[in-house]
Amino acid sequence: MNILVTGGAGYIGSHNVIALLEAGYNVIIFDNLELGHIETVNTLKSLNTKGSVIDFIEGNLLLLQDVESVFSKHHIDAIIHFAAYSQVAESVKEPLKYYYNNVLGTMNLLSTAIDYDVKKIVFSSTAATYGEPVYTPIDEKHPQNPINTYGRTKLMIENIMDDYDKAYGIKSVRLRYFNVAGADSQNRVGEWHNPETHLIPNILKSTFNNGKVFQMFGTDYDTKDGTCVRDYINVEDLAQAHLLALKYLLNGGETNYFNLGTNEGSSVKEVFDVCEKVTGKKIPVERKPRRAGDPATLIADNKKAKEVLGWTPKKTLQDSIKTAYAWEVELSKRLSNQVK
Ligand code: UFG
């Protein structure tokens, strides 16, 4: 079974490639390496997974001939589509870049898939499609009113997928991630963004001598300790959800959408405390004003994914922070070797 993984050289994509290979699928990675890393592709290619084959095609979703080259080279059974820009603040500053890349890129992918009769796609959506929560935990019936461009691009794609199902019979599963955290348990791949905007890697980077002081954005929210509450879902648990979504589609499942989270919220202060505990270090911190556009609380109701897909997240926040820390140590070694 051949699975096309767009964005397979990126953070979430690469963990999914490992899960797919370990489950016996052949994987074709399509990535333009703008945000993904060739080192990650090389790591994935070197994995010794019995019986499954991996190919990497460097290309851009905005160029139809690049997309076409994937489908003409390989028979594709299904697609998992990760490739996208995903920084909320940047999306507000540069909406054109986001609409163009995320929406148009996906349209190129879908139109080529239709030409080649590939009609099953698992799509990375986001909790950001819900916008400011009207109630928590957020279930899939919660209204979708995104408050930033990033969330709007993802919601547009969800809508396009509904229309394409009606007109062309494309079946999609949209997975709405909450806050993804952690790294591969064997430390082969991990989160590697530049610049890094996410909470856990930023706290952990501040444990290194050359790291900057961690900035805690907002301590006056209406939450248990004044800092924002988020639902941190482990990246390996997330990958297992993608495998189950893929199986659901391959077994003839209808278009559907699921929240991926843990049903539990942790505050920024709580996450910070677990980071100090896991690393055994006193982490330098500076309290700053609120970051624009951050809702106070985002927690998933994940009942639907449990019931329909049979998915249960297994890892704790501490598990995610342990693997994320091991990865940060590895990454800082790699990057300092590059500088030398
Ligand atoms: N935070 C800090 N300091 C930092 C980084 C983050 O205090 O250096 C705080 C933020 O202000 C926020 C919390 O940590 O309160 C979590 O922030 P992240 O940037 O890690 O994550 P977000 O909740 O903003 O966003 C993430 C993804 C989005 C996705 C969203 C959906 O980055 O793509 O989850 O819930 F849309």
Side-chain angles (χ1 to χ4, degrees), residues 86-88 126-128 150 177-180 197-200 202-203 214-218 221 228-230 232 268 291 294-295 298:
S86 64
Q87 287 191 33
V88 171
T126 171
Y150 167 64
Y177 314 156
F178 282 64
N179 289 57
V180 186
T197 60
H198 291 132
L199 177 65
I200 293 173
N202 274 351
I203 299 175
F214 166 66
Q215 304 197 319
M216 188 179 276
F217 299 130
Y221 286 96
C228 286
V229 170
R230 294 287 181 274
Y232 293 90
V268 170
R291 191 174 71 174
D294 279 342
L298 283 175

PDB file of all heavy atoms in Angstrom, residues 86-88 126-128 150 177-180 197-200 202-203 214-218 221 228-230 232 268 291 294-295 298, ligand 1:
ATOM      1  N   SER A  86       2.329  27.228   9.210  1.00  0.00           N
ATOM      2  CA  SER A  86       1.485  27.053  10.398  1.00  0.00           C
ATOM      3  C   SER A  86       1.765  28.043  11.537  1.00  0.00           C
ATOM      4  O   SER A  86       1.386  27.784  12.664  1.00  0.00           O
ATOM      5  CB  SER A  86       1.657  25.627  10.926  1.00  0.00           C
ATOM      6  OG  SER A  86       2.989  25.431  11.345  1.00  0.00           O
ATOM      7  N   GLN A  87       2.393  29.160  11.210  1.00  0.00           N
ATOM      8  CA  GLN A  87       2.635  30.123  12.295  1.00  0.00           C
ATOM      9  C   GLN A  87       1.540  31.182  12.336  1.00  0.00           C
ATOM     10  O   GLN A  87       1.377  31.961  11.383  1.00  0.00           O
ATOM     11  CB  GLN A  87       3.982  30.805  12.090  1.00  0.00           C
ATOM     12  CG  GLN A  87       5.141  29.874  12.393  1.00  0.00           C
ATOM     13  CD  GLN A  87       6.439  30.634  12.438  1.00  0.00           C
ATOM     14  OE1 GLN A  87       6.484  31.794  12.835  1.00  0.00           O
ATOM     15  NE2 GLN A  87       7.493  29.986  12.009  1.00  0.00           N
ATOM     16  N   VAL A  88       0.830  31.204  13.456  1.00  0.00           N
ATOM     17  CA  VAL A  88      -0.337  32.069  13.572  1.00  0.00           C
ATOM     18  C   VAL A  88       0.032  33.551  13.358  1.00  0.00           C
ATOM     19  O   VAL A  88      -0.588  34.243  12.547  1.00  0.00           O
ATOM     20  CB  VAL A  88      -1.004  31.862  14.948  1.00  0.00           C
ATOM     21  CG1 VAL A  88      -2.092  32.891  15.183  1.00  0.00           C
ATOM     22  CG2 VAL A  88      -1.577  30.448  15.044  1.00  0.00           C
ATOM     23  N   THR A 126      -6.750  21.884  12.392  1.00  0.00           N
ATOM     24  CA  THR A 126      -6.261  22.478  13.642  1.00  0.00           C
ATOM     25  C   THR A 126      -7.393  22.961  14.536  1.00  0.00           C
ATOM     26  O   THR A 126      -8.465  23.335  14.046  1.00  0.00           O
ATOM     27  CB  THR A 126      -5.336  23.681  13.317  1.00  0.00           C
ATOM     28  OG1 THR A 126      -5.035  24.383  14.515  1.00  0.00           O
ATOM     29  CG2 THR A 126      -5.976  24.656  12.356  1.00  0.00           C
ATOM     30  N   ALA A 127      -7.098  22.995  15.823  1.00  0.00           N
ATOM     31  CA  ALA A 127      -8.017  23.595  16.788  1.00  0.00           C
ATOM     32  C   ALA A 127      -8.225  25.072  16.476  1.00  0.00           C
ATOM     33  O   ALA A 127      -9.234  25.654  16.888  1.00  0.00           O
ATOM     34  CB  ALA A 127      -7.458  23.443  18.194  1.00  0.00           C
ATOM     35  N   ALA A 128      -7.279  25.661  15.745  1.00  0.00           N
ATOM     36  CA  ALA A 128      -7.407  27.084  15.385  1.00  0.00           C
ATOM     37  C   ALA A 128      -8.614  27.339  14.477  1.00  0.00           C
ATOM     38  O   ALA A 128      -9.016  28.489  14.307  1.00  0.00           O
ATOM     39  CB  ALA A 128      -6.134  27.580  14.713  1.00  0.00           C
ATOM     40  N   TYR A 150      -4.244  31.787   9.632  1.00  0.00           N
ATOM     41  CA  TYR A 150      -3.848  30.372   9.607  1.00  0.00           C
ATOM     42  C   TYR A 150      -5.087  29.474   9.781  1.00  0.00           C
ATOM     43  O   TYR A 150      -5.328  28.555   8.986  1.00  0.00           O
ATOM     44  CB  TYR A 150      -2.819  30.101  10.718  1.00  0.00           C
ATOM     45  CG  TYR A 150      -2.590  28.650  10.976  1.00  0.00           C
ATOM     46  CD1 TYR A 150      -2.039  27.827   9.992  1.00  0.00           C
ATOM     47  CD2 TYR A 150      -2.951  28.065  12.190  1.00  0.00           C
ATOM     48  CE1 TYR A 150      -1.842  26.474  10.221  1.00  0.00           C
ATOM     49  CE2 TYR A 150      -2.752  26.725  12.426  1.00  0.00           C
ATOM     50  CZ  TYR A 150      -2.209  25.937  11.446  1.00  0.00           C
ATOM     51  OH  TYR A 150      -2.031  24.598  11.674  1.00  0.00           O
ATOM     52  N   TYR A 177      -5.829  19.147  15.271  1.00  0.00           N
ATOM     53  CA  TYR A 177      -4.862  18.994  16.358  1.00  0.00           C
ATOM     54  C   TYR A 177      -5.002  20.120  17.363  1.00  0.00           C
ATOM     55  O   TYR A 177      -5.166  21.272  16.989  1.00  0.00           O
ATOM     56  CB  TYR A 177      -3.413  19.086  15.861  1.00  0.00           C
ATOM     57  CG  TYR A 177      -3.028  18.312  14.644  1.00  0.00           C
ATOM     58  CD1 TYR A 177      -1.939  18.736  13.880  1.00  0.00           C
ATOM     59  CD2 TYR A 177      -3.692  17.159  14.254  1.00  0.00           C
ATOM     60  CE1 TYR A 177      -1.528  18.042  12.764  1.00  0.00           C
ATOM     61  CE2 TYR A 177      -3.292  16.453  13.126  1.00  0.00           C
ATOM     62  CZ  TYR A 177      -2.207  16.906  12.376  1.00  0.00           C
ATOM     63  OH  TYR A 177      -1.802  16.229  11.262  1.00  0.00           O
ATOM     64  N   PHE A 178      -4.793  19.768  18.634  1.00  0.00           N
ATOM     65  CA  PHE A 178      -4.596  20.788  19.656  1.00  0.00           C
ATOM     66  C   PHE A 178      -3.072  21.024  19.733  1.00  0.00           C
ATOM     67  O   PHE A 178      -2.444  21.108  18.696  1.00  0.00           O
ATOM     68  CB  PHE A 178      -5.320  20.381  20.945  1.00  0.00           C
ATOM     69  CG  PHE A 178      -6.810  20.666  20.796  1.00  0.00           C
ATOM     70  CD1 PHE A 178      -7.579  19.989  19.846  1.00  0.00           C
ATOM     71  CD2 PHE A 178      -7.422  21.673  21.513  1.00  0.00           C
ATOM     72  CE1 PHE A 178      -8.924  20.303  19.633  1.00  0.00           C
ATOM     73  CE2 PHE A 178      -8.773  21.987  21.313  1.00  0.00           C
ATOM     74  CZ  PHE A 178      -9.512  21.309  20.375  1.00  0.00           C
ATOM     75  N   ASN A 179      -2.456  21.147  20.893  1.00  0.00           N
ATOM     76  CA  ASN A 179      -1.029  21.529  20.902  1.00  0.00           C
ATOM     77  C   ASN A 179      -0.129  20.297  20.856  1.00  0.00           C
ATOM     78  O   ASN A 179      -0.067  19.542  21.827  1.00  0.00           O
ATOM     79  CB  ASN A 179      -0.738  22.378  22.135  1.00  0.00           C
ATOM     80  CG  ASN A 179      -1.359  23.752  22.026  1.00  0.00           C
ATOM     81  OD1 ASN A 179      -2.576  23.880  21.838  1.00  0.00           O
ATOM     82  ND2 ASN A 179      -0.561  24.775  22.095  1.00  0.00           N
ATOM     83  N   VAL A 180       0.557  20.132  19.757  1.00  0.00           N
ATOM     84  CA  VAL A 180       1.360  18.924  19.540  1.00  0.00           C
ATOM     85  C   VAL A 180       2.711  19.082  20.254  1.00  0.00           C
ATOM     86  O   VAL A 180       3.334  20.149  20.183  1.00  0.00           O
ATOM     87  CB  VAL A 180       1.561  18.675  18.041  1.00  0.00           C
ATOM     88  CG1 VAL A 180       2.273  17.350  17.820  1.00  0.00           C
ATOM     89  CG2 VAL A 180       0.217  18.710  17.319  1.00  0.00           C
ATOM     90  N   THR A 197       8.530  29.018  17.785  1.00  0.00           N
ATOM     91  CA  THR A 197       7.550  29.855  18.494  1.00  0.00           C
ATOM     92  C   THR A 197       6.828  29.063  19.580  1.00  0.00           C
ATOM     93  O   THR A 197       6.131  29.646  20.406  1.00  0.00           O
ATOM     94  CB  THR A 197       6.487  30.396  17.512  1.00  0.00           C
ATOM     95  OG1 THR A 197       5.819  29.275  16.914  1.00  0.00           O
ATOM     96  CG2 THR A 197       7.091  31.276  16.447  1.00  0.00           C
ATOM     97  N   HIS A 198       6.953  27.736  19.561  1.00  0.00           N
ATOM     98  CA  HIS A 198       6.142  26.919  20.469  1.00  0.00           C
ATOM     99  C   HIS A 198       6.695  26.875  21.891  1.00  0.00           C
ATOM    100  O   HIS A 198       7.898  26.998  22.113  1.00  0.00           O
ATOM    101  CB  HIS A 198       5.996  25.498  19.905  1.00  0.00           C
ATOM    102  CG  HIS A 198       5.150  25.468  18.669  1.00  0.00           C
ATOM    103  ND1 HIS A 198       5.519  24.807  17.532  1.00  0.00           N
ATOM    104  CD2 HIS A 198       3.971  26.065  18.400  1.00  0.00           C
ATOM    105  CE1 HIS A 198       4.590  24.988  16.609  1.00  0.00           C
ATOM    106  NE2 HIS A 198       3.647  25.751  17.114  1.00  0.00           N
ATOM    107  N   LEU A 199       5.754  26.667  22.802  1.00  0.00           N
ATOM    108  CA  LEU A 199       6.081  26.774  24.230  1.00  0.00           C
ATOM    109  C   LEU A 199       7.174  25.806  24.683  1.00  0.00           C
ATOM    110  O   LEU A 199       8.200  26.231  25.224  1.00  0.00           O
ATOM    111  CB  LEU A 199       4.792  26.549  25.051  1.00  0.00           C
ATOM    112  CG  LEU A 199       4.995  26.550  26.555  1.00  0.00           C
ATOM    113  CD1 LEU A 199       5.441  27.915  27.048  1.00  0.00           C
ATOM    114  CD2 LEU A 199       3.719  26.127  27.272  1.00  0.00           C
ATOM    115  N   ILE A 200       6.956  24.503  24.507  1.00  0.00           N
ATOM    116  CA  ILE A 200       7.861  23.529  25.134  1.00  0.00           C
ATOM    117  C   ILE A 200       9.282  23.639  24.578  1.00  0.00           C
ATOM    118  O   ILE A 200      10.235  23.757  25.367  1.00  0.00           O
ATOM    119  CB  ILE A 200       7.259  22.100  25.044  1.00  0.00           C
ATOM    120  CG1 ILE A 200       6.007  22.044  25.923  1.00  0.00           C
ATOM    121  CG2 ILE A 200       8.294  21.045  25.468  1.00  0.00           C
ATOM    122  CD1 ILE A 200       5.196  20.780  25.829  1.00  0.00           C
ATOM    123  N   ASN A 202      10.715  26.164  23.354  1.00  0.00           N
ATOM    124  CA  ASN A 202      11.294  27.437  23.805  1.00  0.00           C
ATOM    125  C   ASN A 202      11.730  27.372  25.262  1.00  0.00           C
ATOM    126  O   ASN A 202      12.781  27.895  25.622  1.00  0.00           O
ATOM    127  CB  ASN A 202      10.324  28.595  23.582  1.00  0.00           C
ATOM    128  CG  ASN A 202      10.444  29.158  22.178  1.00  0.00           C
ATOM    129  OD1 ASN A 202      11.357  28.783  21.434  1.00  0.00           O
ATOM    130  ND2 ASN A 202       9.550  30.036  21.801  1.00  0.00           N
ATOM    131  N   ILE A 203      10.939  26.733  26.100  1.00  0.00           N
ATOM    132  CA  ILE A 203      11.371  26.583  27.508  1.00  0.00           C
ATOM    133  C   ILE A 203      12.656  25.757  27.542  1.00  0.00           C
ATOM    134  O   ILE A 203      13.634  26.110  28.202  1.00  0.00           O
ATOM    135  CB  ILE A 203      10.284  25.882  28.362  1.00  0.00           C
ATOM    136  CG1 ILE A 203       8.982  26.679  28.381  1.00  0.00           C
ATOM    137  CG2 ILE A 203      10.798  25.665  29.791  1.00  0.00           C
ATOM    138  CD1 ILE A 203       7.828  25.968  29.105  1.00  0.00           C
ATOM    139  N   PHE A 214      13.641  32.380  28.824  1.00  0.00           N
ATOM    140  CA  PHE A 214      12.293  32.021  28.381  1.00  0.00           C
ATOM    141  C   PHE A 214      11.315  33.150  28.710  1.00  0.00           C
ATOM    142  O   PHE A 214      11.296  33.665  29.823  1.00  0.00           O
ATOM    143  CB  PHE A 214      11.844  30.710  29.043  1.00  0.00           C
ATOM    144  CG  PHE A 214      10.379  30.483  28.890  1.00  0.00           C
ATOM    145  CD1 PHE A 214       9.832  30.269  27.632  1.00  0.00           C
ATOM    146  CD2 PHE A 214       9.526  30.529  29.987  1.00  0.00           C
ATOM    147  CE1 PHE A 214       8.462  30.110  27.469  1.00  0.00           C
ATOM    148  CE2 PHE A 214       8.158  30.365  29.832  1.00  0.00           C
ATOM    149  CZ  PHE A 214       7.636  30.148  28.571  1.00  0.00           C
ATOM    150  N   GLN A 215      10.503  33.508  27.722  1.00  0.00           N
ATOM    151  CA  GLN A 215       9.520  34.578  27.926  1.00  0.00           C
ATOM    152  C   GLN A 215       8.143  33.968  28.117  1.00  0.00           C
ATOM    153  O   GLN A 215       7.649  33.257  27.231  1.00  0.00           O
ATOM    154  CB  GLN A 215       9.504  35.497  26.702  1.00  0.00           C
ATOM    155  CG  GLN A 215      10.893  36.057  26.397  1.00  0.00           C
ATOM    156  CD  GLN A 215      10.837  37.255  25.494  1.00  0.00           C
ATOM    157  OE1 GLN A 215      10.066  37.272  24.534  1.00  0.00           O
ATOM    158  NE2 GLN A 215      11.642  38.257  25.783  1.00  0.00           N
ATOM    159  N   MET A 216       7.544  34.244  29.262  1.00  0.00           N
ATOM    160  CA  MET A 216       6.201  33.726  29.570  1.00  0.00           C
ATOM    161  C   MET A 216       5.191  34.810  29.224  1.00  0.00           C
ATOM    162  O   MET A 216       5.176  35.877  29.857  1.00  0.00           O
ATOM    163  CB  MET A 216       6.146  33.380  31.060  1.00  0.00           C
ATOM    164  CG  MET A 216       4.912  32.658  31.496  1.00  0.00           C
ATOM    165  SD  MET A 216       4.987  32.269  33.267  1.00  0.00           S
ATOM    166  CE  MET A 216       5.926  30.770  33.298  1.00  0.00           C
ATOM    167  N   PHE A 217       4.374  34.520  28.201  1.00  0.00           N
ATOM    168  CA  PHE A 217       3.459  35.555  27.698  1.00  0.00           C
ATOM    169  C   PHE A 217       2.119  35.545  28.438  1.00  0.00           C
ATOM    170  O   PHE A 217       1.278  34.686  28.162  1.00  0.00           O
ATOM    171  CB  PHE A 217       3.190  35.349  26.202  1.00  0.00           C
ATOM    172  CG  PHE A 217       4.425  35.443  25.343  1.00  0.00           C
ATOM    173  CD1 PHE A 217       4.710  34.456  24.406  1.00  0.00           C
ATOM    174  CD2 PHE A 217       5.307  36.508  25.457  1.00  0.00           C
ATOM    175  CE1 PHE A 217       5.842  34.533  23.594  1.00  0.00           C
ATOM    176  CE2 PHE A 217       6.445  36.602  24.662  1.00  0.00           C
ATOM    177  CZ  PHE A 217       6.713  35.610  23.731  1.00  0.00           C
ATOM    178  N   GLY A 218       1.923  36.496  29.331  1.00  0.00           N
ATOM    179  CA  GLY A 218       0.608  36.661  29.962  1.00  0.00           C
ATOM    180  C   GLY A 218       0.474  35.862  31.243  1.00  0.00           C
ATOM    181  O   GLY A 218       0.506  34.630  31.221  1.00  0.00           O
ATOM    182  N   TYR A 221      -4.399  35.877  32.927  1.00  0.00           N
ATOM    183  CA  TYR A 221      -5.587  35.274  32.314  1.00  0.00           C
ATOM    184  C   TYR A 221      -6.514  34.720  33.395  1.00  0.00           C
ATOM    185  O   TYR A 221      -6.073  34.420  34.517  1.00  0.00           O
ATOM    186  CB  TYR A 221      -5.182  34.117  31.379  1.00  0.00           C
ATOM    187  CG  TYR A 221      -4.571  34.576  30.081  1.00  0.00           C
ATOM    188  CD1 TYR A 221      -3.192  34.658  29.922  1.00  0.00           C
ATOM    189  CD2 TYR A 221      -5.374  34.918  28.993  1.00  0.00           C
ATOM    190  CE1 TYR A 221      -2.620  35.062  28.727  1.00  0.00           C
ATOM    191  CE2 TYR A 221      -4.815  35.334  27.796  1.00  0.00           C
ATOM    192  CZ  TYR A 221      -3.449  35.400  27.670  1.00  0.00           C
ATOM    193  OH  TYR A 221      -2.898  35.814  26.482  1.00  0.00           O
ATOM    194  N   CYS A 228      -2.018  30.820  30.275  1.00  0.00           N
ATOM    195  CA  CYS A 228      -2.910  30.138  29.326  1.00  0.00           C
ATOM    196  C   CYS A 228      -2.887  28.620  29.511  1.00  0.00           C
ATOM    197  O   CYS A 228      -1.832  28.029  29.780  1.00  0.00           O
ATOM    198  CB  CYS A 228      -2.458  30.420  27.895  1.00  0.00           C
ATOM    199  SG  CYS A 228      -2.847  32.066  27.347  1.00  0.00           S
ATOM    200  N   VAL A 229      -4.045  28.026  29.306  1.00  0.00           N
ATOM    201  CA  VAL A 229      -4.172  26.572  29.431  1.00  0.00           C
ATOM    202  C   VAL A 229      -4.329  25.967  28.039  1.00  0.00           C
ATOM    203  O   VAL A 229      -5.124  26.448  27.228  1.00  0.00           O
ATOM    204  CB  VAL A 229      -5.386  26.226  30.324  1.00  0.00           C
ATOM    205  CG1 VAL A 229      -5.694  24.744  30.291  1.00  0.00           C
ATOM    206  CG2 VAL A 229      -5.123  26.695  31.756  1.00  0.00           C
ATOM    207  N   ARG A 230      -3.539  24.931  27.780  1.00  0.00           N
ATOM    208  CA  ARG A 230      -3.585  24.247  26.479  1.00  0.00           C
ATOM    209  C   ARG A 230      -3.626  22.742  26.695  1.00  0.00           C
ATOM    210  O   ARG A 230      -3.228  22.238  27.743  1.00  0.00           O
ATOM    211  CB  ARG A 230      -2.334  24.582  25.636  1.00  0.00           C
ATOM    212  CG  ARG A 230      -2.226  26.036  25.210  1.00  0.00           C
ATOM    213  CD  ARG A 230      -3.244  26.351  24.113  1.00  0.00           C
ATOM    214  NE  ARG A 230      -3.154  27.739  23.675  1.00  0.00           N
ATOM    215  CZ  ARG A 230      -3.779  28.758  24.260  1.00  0.00           C
ATOM    216  NH1 ARG A 230      -4.532  28.554  25.319  1.00  0.00           N
ATOM    217  NH2 ARG A 230      -3.661  29.981  23.776  1.00  0.00           N
ATOM    218  N   TYR A 232      -1.947  19.477  25.523  1.00  0.00           N
ATOM    219  CA  TYR A 232      -0.724  19.040  24.833  1.00  0.00           C
ATOM    220  C   TYR A 232      -0.845  17.574  24.448  1.00  0.00           C
ATOM    221  O   TYR A 232      -0.926  16.705  25.315  1.00  0.00           O
ATOM    222  CB  TYR A 232       0.505  19.293  25.725  1.00  0.00           C
ATOM    223  CG  TYR A 232       0.721  20.772  25.912  1.00  0.00           C
ATOM    224  CD1 TYR A 232       0.120  21.458  26.971  1.00  0.00           C
ATOM    225  CD2 TYR A 232       1.449  21.514  24.992  1.00  0.00           C
ATOM    226  CE1 TYR A 232       0.268  22.832  27.109  1.00  0.00           C
ATOM    227  CE2 TYR A 232       1.597  22.888  25.117  1.00  0.00           C
ATOM    228  CZ  TYR A 232       1.005  23.535  26.180  1.00  0.00           C
ATOM    229  OH  TYR A 232       1.140  24.892  26.300  1.00  0.00           O
ATOM    230  N   VAL A 268       0.645  27.251  31.227  1.00  0.00           N
ATOM    231  CA  VAL A 268       2.035  27.538  30.844  1.00  0.00           C
ATOM    232  C   VAL A 268       2.948  27.347  32.064  1.00  0.00           C
ATOM    233  O   VAL A 268       4.024  26.753  31.972  1.00  0.00           O
ATOM    234  CB  VAL A 268       2.154  28.971  30.269  1.00  0.00           C
ATOM    235  CG1 VAL A 268       3.603  29.383  30.087  1.00  0.00           C
ATOM    236  CG2 VAL A 268       1.407  29.075  28.941  1.00  0.00           C
ATOM    237  N   ARG A 291       0.505  37.653  24.637  1.00  0.00           N
ATOM    238  CA  ARG A 291       0.776  37.609  23.195  1.00  0.00           C
ATOM    239  C   ARG A 291      -0.567  37.791  22.490  1.00  0.00           C
ATOM    240  O   ARG A 291      -1.559  37.159  22.887  1.00  0.00           O
ATOM    241  CB  ARG A 291       1.394  36.241  22.863  1.00  0.00           C
ATOM    242  CG  ARG A 291       1.966  36.112  21.490  1.00  0.00           C
ATOM    243  CD  ARG A 291       2.690  34.782  21.319  1.00  0.00           C
ATOM    244  NE  ARG A 291       1.768  33.651  21.274  1.00  0.00           N
ATOM    245  CZ  ARG A 291       2.142  32.395  21.024  1.00  0.00           C
ATOM    246  NH1 ARG A 291       3.422  32.102  20.818  1.00  0.00           N
ATOM    247  NH2 ARG A 291       1.262  31.417  21.003  1.00  0.00           N
ATOM    248  N   ASP A 294      -3.981  35.038  21.745  1.00  0.00           N
ATOM    249  CA  ASP A 294      -3.973  33.784  22.520  1.00  0.00           C
ATOM    250  C   ASP A 294      -5.259  33.639  23.335  1.00  0.00           C
ATOM    251  O   ASP A 294      -5.488  34.415  24.274  1.00  0.00           O
ATOM    252  CB  ASP A 294      -2.798  33.777  23.520  1.00  0.00           C
ATOM    253  CG  ASP A 294      -1.476  33.382  22.890  1.00  0.00           C
ATOM    254  OD1 ASP A 294      -1.493  32.792  21.797  1.00  0.00           O
ATOM    255  OD2 ASP A 294      -0.433  33.650  23.513  1.00  0.00           O
ATOM    256  N   PRO A 295      -6.118  32.648  23.050  1.00  0.00           N
ATOM    257  CA  PRO A 295      -7.262  32.414  23.928  1.00  0.00           C
ATOM    258  C   PRO A 295      -6.779  31.888  25.284  1.00  0.00           C
ATOM    259  O   PRO A 295      -5.715  31.265  25.359  1.00  0.00           O
ATOM    260  CB  PRO A 295      -8.073  31.330  23.206  1.00  0.00           C
ATOM    261  CG  PRO A 295      -7.427  31.125  21.888  1.00  0.00           C
ATOM    262  CD  PRO A 295      -6.053  31.692  21.944  1.00  0.00           C
ATOM    263  N   LEU A 298      -7.748  26.303  25.836  1.00  0.00           N
ATOM    264  CA  LEU A 298      -8.124  25.443  24.698  1.00  0.00           C
ATOM    265  C   LEU A 298      -7.941  23.993  25.121  1.00  0.00           C
ATOM    266  O   LEU A 298      -6.814  23.534  25.333  1.00  0.00           O
ATOM    267  CB  LEU A 298      -7.221  25.707  23.485  1.00  0.00           C
ATOM    268  CG  LEU A 298      -7.448  26.957  22.639  1.00  0.00           C
ATOM    269  CD1 LEU A 298      -6.365  27.082  21.581  1.00  0.00           C
ATOM    270  CD2 LEU A 298      -8.833  26.921  21.975  1.00  0.00           C
TER     271      LEU A 298
HETATM  272  N1  UFG B   1       4.083  30.781  25.121  1.00  0.00           N
HETATM  273  C1  UFG B   1       4.935  31.474  25.962  1.00  0.00           C
HETATM  274  N2  UFG B   1       6.230  31.653  25.561  1.00  0.00           N
HETATM  275  C2  UFG B   1       6.723  31.175  24.381  1.00  0.00           C
HETATM  276  C3  UFG B   1       5.854  30.438  23.535  1.00  0.00           C
HETATM  277  C4  UFG B   1       4.539  30.274  23.934  1.00  0.00           C
HETATM  278  O1  UFG B   1       4.533  31.918  27.033  1.00  0.00           O
HETATM  279  O2  UFG B   1       7.917  31.379  24.086  1.00  0.00           O
HETATM  280  C5  UFG B   1       2.685  30.553  25.528  1.00  0.00           C
HETATM  281  C6  UFG B   1       1.682  31.169  24.547  1.00  0.00           C
HETATM  282  O3  UFG B   1       1.475  32.525  24.813  1.00  0.00           O
HETATM  283  C7  UFG B   1       0.467  30.278  24.775  1.00  0.00           C
HETATM  284  C8  UFG B   1       1.071  28.901  25.123  1.00  0.00           C
HETATM  285  O4  UFG B   1       2.421  29.179  25.519  1.00  0.00           O
HETATM  286  O5  UFG B   1      -0.221  30.738  25.896  1.00  0.00           O
HETATM  287  C9  UFG B   1       1.103  27.933  23.947  1.00  0.00           C
HETATM  288  O6  UFG B   1       1.693  28.577  22.822  1.00  0.00           O
HETATM  289  P1  UFG B   1       2.208  27.816  21.510  1.00  0.00           P
HETATM  290  O7  UFG B   1       2.788  28.860  20.611  1.00  0.00           O
HETATM  291  O8  UFG B   1       3.096  26.682  21.917  1.00  0.00           O
HETATM  292  O9  UFG B   1       0.899  27.189  20.902  1.00  0.00           O
HETATM  293  P2  UFG B   1      -0.479  27.871  20.474  1.00  0.00           P
HETATM  294  O10 UFG B   1      -1.501  27.417  21.465  1.00  0.00           O
HETATM  295  O11 UFG B   1      -0.371  29.321  20.283  1.00  0.00           O
HETATM  296  O12 UFG B   1      -0.707  27.279  19.016  1.00  0.00           O
HETATM  297  C10 UFG B   1      -0.639  25.916  18.675  1.00  0.00           C
HETATM  298  C11 UFG B   1      -0.112  25.787  17.259  1.00  0.00           C
HETATM  299  C12 UFG B   1      -1.055  26.404  16.278  1.00  0.00           C
HETATM  300  C13 UFG B   1      -2.436  25.840  16.470  1.00  0.00           C
HETATM  301  C14 UFG B   1      -2.866  25.942  17.902  1.00  0.00           C
HETATM  302  C15 UFG B   1      -4.153  25.237  18.090  1.00  0.00           C
HETATM  303  O13 UFG B   1       1.133  26.433  17.139  1.00  0.00           O
HETATM  304  O14 UFG B   1      -0.619  26.127  14.982  1.00  0.00           O
HETATM  305  O15 UFG B   1      -1.883  25.340  18.758  1.00  0.00           O
HETATM  306  O16 UFG B   1      -4.488  25.135  19.411  1.00  0.00           O
HETATM  307  F1  UFG B   1      -3.294  26.529  15.711  1.00  0.00           F
END
